[in-house]
């Protein structure tokens, strides 16, 4: 792939650098599991431009493994810097609500947000997020 083709790819940010983000590739016995990074690396139209984890070392390791240009331990700063078209939230379950709510509050919103299940931990949180997602006109996928 040349530089021009790489620049045309749709940029995304991965929040959370654990197993489903890219660590599953370390276990060769899991041949049926594909991480976000591995799947996107094979895409002709998408690329992970940044990854973030509260443990910066994990973000840097994943970034090096998949040639992700930007790494951070602060997802708000990284999202503001990159202004991605898609965001993947692959963090511990109890963090999904707060992170999604914060992403939906940014000035520059992504077109698509993918969140690992569960989306949130209560029906009240769900109702709140549902309203906010519709107000912001953002596509949301719960994986």
């Amino acid at each position: 792939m040349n530089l021009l083709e790489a620049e045309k790819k749709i940029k995304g940010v991965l929040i959370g650098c654990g197993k489903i983000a890219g660590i599953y590739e370390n276990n060769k016995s899991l041949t049926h599991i594909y991480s976000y990074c591995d799947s996107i690396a094979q895409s002709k139209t998408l690329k992970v431009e940044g990854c973030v984890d509260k443990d910066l070392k994990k973000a840097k390791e994943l970034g090096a493994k998949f040639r992700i240009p930007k790494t951070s331990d602060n997802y708000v700063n990284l999202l503001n810097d990159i202004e991605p078209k898609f965001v993947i939230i692959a963090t511990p379950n109890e963090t999904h609500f707060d992170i999604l709510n914060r992403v939906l509050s940014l000035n520059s919103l992504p077109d698509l947000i993918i969140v690992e299940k569960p989306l949130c931990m209560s029906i009240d949180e769900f109702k709140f997020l549902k309203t906010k997602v519709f107000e912001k006109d953002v596509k949301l996928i719960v994986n």
Side-chain angles (χ1 to χ4, degrees):
M1 174 187 328
N2 64 42
L3 185 59
L4 183 60
E5 289 172 328
E7 283 301 311
K8 289 183 179 179
K9 286 191 168 193
I10 300 167
K11 296 177 183 179
V13 167
L14 178 61
I15 302 173
C17 297
K19 291 179 184 175
I20 198 64
I23 304 304
Y24 275 130
E25 275 70 38
N26 293 345
N27 186 341
K28 301 300 179 199
S29 67
L30 300 175
T31 57
H32 63 288
I33 295 176
Y34 299 96
S35 71
Y36 285 115
C37 285
D38 188 47
S39 298
I40 293 170
Q42 297 176 47
S43 170
K44 293 182 180 175
T45 57
L46 303 174
K47 73 175 180 176
V48 178
E49 183 71 11
C51 64
V52 60
D53 197 281
K54 66 179 183 178
D55 180 349
L56 185 57
K57 181 181 176 192
K58 285 173 69 174
K60 287 183 179 290
E61 288 172 357
L62 193 69
K65 181 177 181 178
F66 288 97
R67 294 188 215 141
I68 299 169
K70 297 182 179 184
T71 59
S72 178
D73 59 358
N74 184 312
Y75 67 91
V76 173
N77 289 347
L78 192 65
L79 292 170
N80 285 327
D81 178 41
I82 295 173
E83 295 186 356
K85 293 295 182 184
F86 70 92
V87 171
I88 299 169
I89 300 172
T91 57
N93 297 346
E94 64 277 2
T95 65
H96 294 173
F97 173 81
D98 289 334
I99 293 172
L100 179 55
N101 187 35
R102 184 75 169 115
V103 170
L104 290 169
S105 299
L106 297 173
N107 289 331
S108 179
L109 292 172
D111 296 329
L112 172 67
I113 302 170
I114 300 171
V115 182
E116 282 297 302
K117 66 179 187 290
L119 176 63
C120 52
M121 304 305 282
S122 74
I123 193 69
D124 289 335
E125 288 178 347
F126 173 77
K127 289 176 182 177
F128 177 85
L129 290 174
K130 180 181 173 187
T131 300
K132 196 163 186 178
V133 165
F134 278 105
E135 285 174 357
K136 299 292 184 168
D137 194 30
V138 174
K139 293 171 187 69
L140 175 68
I141 295 173
V142 180
N143 186 20

